[in-house]
Structure formats: structure tokens, C-alpha cells
Amino acid sequence: MENGILTEAQQKDAELIELLLEKIVKKKGFENICATAEGYETPAKIRRGKDTEEYFIPDCTGEVNGRKSYFELGMKSDDERELVTKWRLLSSLANYKHGKLYLAVPRGHMAFTNRILADYPIQAEVVKL
């Protein structure tokens, strides 16, 4: 498993990724699942910009009916700006590929996630974990 340069600061629990896969991704019938979890292929790196070597790796990706969607854990972060940049990029990519960005929010992180979505133009479906 590999972490994106900008996602290393936000440590994500492997159990939460597994819960995301079981409760949302598989339940909604997604195929070609890639995830930052054991037993799955790591999702493709998404470069932050054309003039940089920094990249993001989504927590999970999946396809249904040829539409690619992205899945992220919506968790509090000290580096809000990096998180917003990542979510905006994933939201734009999902729209481009006729999919959605899903934010799976564990207990205690909902207010933070909702505030980010209210303050910035990010299209995402929020799902409680």
C-alpha cells in the first residue's frame, strides 16, 4: 500500500477503510474496486497539478454502469486547505466521469465535514459510518 504525499498527515485507520468498503462500496454494487486496504489494488495516483510531483491517492474507487466514483473518509484534519484541495479535485473527477464523490464520515467528524462542504463548492454525498 502506498500513501499519497498529501494524505500522509491524515492517518486513516485500516478498520475504517474496511468499514467503508463493506458498508458503502460493496453494498451499492460497485465493481472494479481499488482501495488503500489489504487485498485490494491501490487506486491510481492523481497529480495535484501539471507542474508538480505531488499527488493524491483516494481511499477507494469503484465503478457501476461505467461510472467511476471516489470514496473518502471524511475526517477532521489539521491541514484543512490540503483536504479541501483533495475533495474538490476528486469531486471534479467524479463529475467528469459521471460518478460521485462519497464522503464516509465516522462518528465525531460530521460537523467538520458539513462545515467544509458548506464553505467550499464541493459536490459530495455524505454517508455516516
Side-chain angles (χ1 to χ4, degrees):
M1 286 187 307
E2 188 175 8
N3 286 327
I5 292 171
L6 300 173
T7 56
E8 287 176 7
Q10 187 178 12
Q11 295 298 320
K12 296 189 178 172
D13 193 346
E15 291 177 18
L16 288 176
I17 301 275
E18 289 293 331
L19 189 60
L20 163 70
L21 289 165
E22 292 299 319
K23 191 172 180 184
I24 300 167
V25 181
K26 291 179 182 175
K27 207 173 196 180
K28 290 186 180 280
F30 282 90
E31 300 169 343
N32 300 330
I33 299 169
C34 294
T36 55
E38 291 296 325
Y40 291 92
E41 186 178 322
T42 303
K45 298 174 186 176
I46 301 167
R47 279 199 358 207
R48 184 175 183 183
K50 49 185 170 175
D51 297 332
T52 181
E53 292 300 313
E54 294 178 336
Y55 57 88
F56 295 115
I57 297 178
D59 291 336
C60 181
T61 63
E63 292 181 22
V64 66
N65 299 328
R67 298 167 185 244
K68 188 168 187 173
S69 292
Y70 296 86
F71 301 85
E72 277 289 308
L73 290 173
M75 298 174 67
K76 296 175 190 171
S77 173
D78 293 334
D79 197 348
E80 188 175 304
R81 192 166 150 249
E82 297 289 337
L83 186 66
V84 168
T85 301
K86 182 177 184 182
W87 288 0
R88 286 179 71 178
L89 178 62
L90 292 177
S91 177
S92 296
L93 276 173
N95 286 334
Y96 178 74
K97 296 181 179 187
H98 306 291
K100 286 184 180 179
L101 169 61
Y102 292 88
L103 296 176
V105 184
R107 184 182 179 114
H109 298 268
M110 186 62 79
F112 174 81
T113 302
N114 285 334
R115 183 179 57 77
I116 295 288
L117 294 176
D119 291 349
Y120 298 94
I122 300 171
Q123 291 183 337
E125 183 173 321
V126 177
V127 183
K128 287 183 183 178
L129 268 186

